[in-house]
Amino acid sequence: MNIKDFVMSSYVELVDEEKKDQVDIAFDEMISSQYEEAAGRFDKLYTQDPNDYMSYFFRAYCKSHCGKRGDVYVASQKLTSAFNMAYQKAIASSKYLDTEVYLMLSMYKEAMDNLAYNAVEEVHINSQGKTYKTNPTKLKIYSECEEVLVTLMRDSVNVLKKLPTVKAYITSYLQKLVDTNLNHNINLGRKQGEVLVLYAPEFASELEERIKKAEAKKKRTRIIIAVAIGAFILIAVLINLVG
């Protein structure tokens, strides 16, 4: 049993007795990719109790797996709205934050990744008549998910760092972001690293060292490019003179 399945099982034990069977069945349907059935079950639970923010979120999660590929961006916006609402409700009233917030964070990230994966590519033709593909929707969903999560983790650090399962998830998530972005976007990687240090202060010295190495590598690359351009111009001038 992985951590997510374990936390799901823990969550079922926390819900009111009259909901327990329905939530358990809905989770089984989700695991079996019967998302429409699970969405309907969570919709019924939320209709019965409008304060049941977890069923509201789970319904949105399931619905994000049911739409058409061309609708993934709209679905991502609806999911983000449900995630934000459920998270704020949990922070304000829940006695089971570690379990509930872990499920929200991990399932939101998973669902947004799925929506991004299913985004439809755009086909273009360049000036030479050759086709090429881009996927701006995919990049937009990934970027917005990342921004939502990192902002939440930064702004709620005083609450979330006290939750052991959530803290472990956040630390792992931010480490992966920093590993990726320090190689491609140093400023973004630095900002995300600063959030990581709020949860794992022991990472501070390593982060500083990695930023220095990334900046030095970037500087070397700029120098190499500048030298290459200069050499190209010089060769072109010499060829022109000889000609």
Side-chain angles (χ1 to χ4, degrees):
M1 178 182 292
N2 60 35
I3 182 64
K4 180 182 163 189
D5 291 340
F6 174 77
V7 177
M8 277 186 174
S9 298
S10 300
Y11 174 78
V12 173
E13 296 306 312
L14 300 176
V15 300
D16 295 338
E17 198 64 36
E18 64 270 18
K19 297 180 181 179
K20 200 182 294 291
D21 289 344
Q22 291 300 308
V23 172
D24 197 20
I25 293 170
F27 279 166
D28 286 342
E29 289 171 337
M30 283 198 297
I31 293 170
S32 302
S33 299
Q34 296 174 270
Y35 294 109
E36 290 186 7
E37 292 83 351
R41 204 171 297 278
F42 284 123
D43 183 62
K44 184 177 180 180
L45 287 168
Y46 179 64
T47 300
Q48 293 171 346
D49 179 8
N51 293 317
D52 184 1
Y53 53 84
M54 291 302 290
S55 287
Y56 179 76
F57 170 73
F58 292 141
R59 180 185 66 176
Y61 169 87
C62 292
K63 285 186 174 181
S64 76
H65 287 76
C66 299
K68 299 177 181 179
R69 293 188 67 189
D71 299 331
V72 292
Y73 185 70
V74 173
S76 76
Q77 298 298 288
K78 291 179 179 179
L79 177 63
T80 296
S81 177
F83 169 75
N84 285 330
M85 188 279 271
Y87 174 76
Q88 293 302 325
K89 293 271 190 179
I91 290 295
S93 62
S94 178
K95 298 181 291 185
Y96 311 111
L97 275 180
D98 196 29
T99 297
E100 293 182 354
V101 173
Y102 171 80
L103 287 175
M104 281 189 267
L105 290 175
S106 60
M107 293 175 72
Y108 173 70
K109 171 66 166 54
E110 176 190 307
M112 290 290 276
D113 283 349
N114 181 68
L115 289 168
Y117 177 81
N118 285 301
V120 178
E121 293 181 322
E122 297 180 4
V123 180
H124 309 272
I125 301 176
N126 64 19
S127 56
Q128 284 77 44
K130 295 181 178 180
T131 61
Y132 66 96
K133 297 178 180 179
T134 63
N135 202 328
T137 301
K138 179 178 182 177
L139 297 176
K140 194 172 183 180
I141 292 173
Y142 277 138
S143 178
E144 291 185 2
C145 175
E146 187 176 301
E147 182 178 355
V148 166
L149 288 177
V150 174
T151 299
L152 179 151
M153 293 168 184
R154 182 196 65 209
D155 293 347
S156 299
V157 61
N158 290 332
V159 174
L160 301 184
K161 70 180 181 181
K162 298 175 183 177
L163 311 175
T165 310
V166 170
K167 181 180 177 182
Y169 176 84
I170 289 174
T171 301
S172 175
Y173 172 75
L174 290 172
Q175 284 178 329
K176 291 175 183 176
L177 284 188
V178 171
D179 288 343
T180 298
N181 288 324
L182 280 182
N183 293 322
H184 303 288
N185 187 330
I186 295 175
N187 289 333
L188 182 58
R190 178 189 287 110
K191 290 179 180 178
Q192 293 166 343
E194 290 170 353
V195 179
L196 172 58
V197 169
L198 296 175
Y199 290 89
E202 66 275 13
F203 187 75
S205 58
E206 179 185 342
L207 175 65
E208 184 178 354
E209 185 63 28
R210 291 181 62 185
I211 289 173
K212 288 179 180 178
K213 288 182 179 180
E215 289 177 336
K217 181 180 178 180
K218 185 176 180 180
K219 185 176 181 180
R220 288 195 300 271
T221 301
R222 286 176 175 173
I223 292 173
I224 291 171
I225 292 174
V227 170
I229 292 174
F232 176 80
I233 293 173
L234 178 60
I235 291 172
V237 170
L238 291 174
I239 291 175
N240 186 56
L241 289 174
V242 172

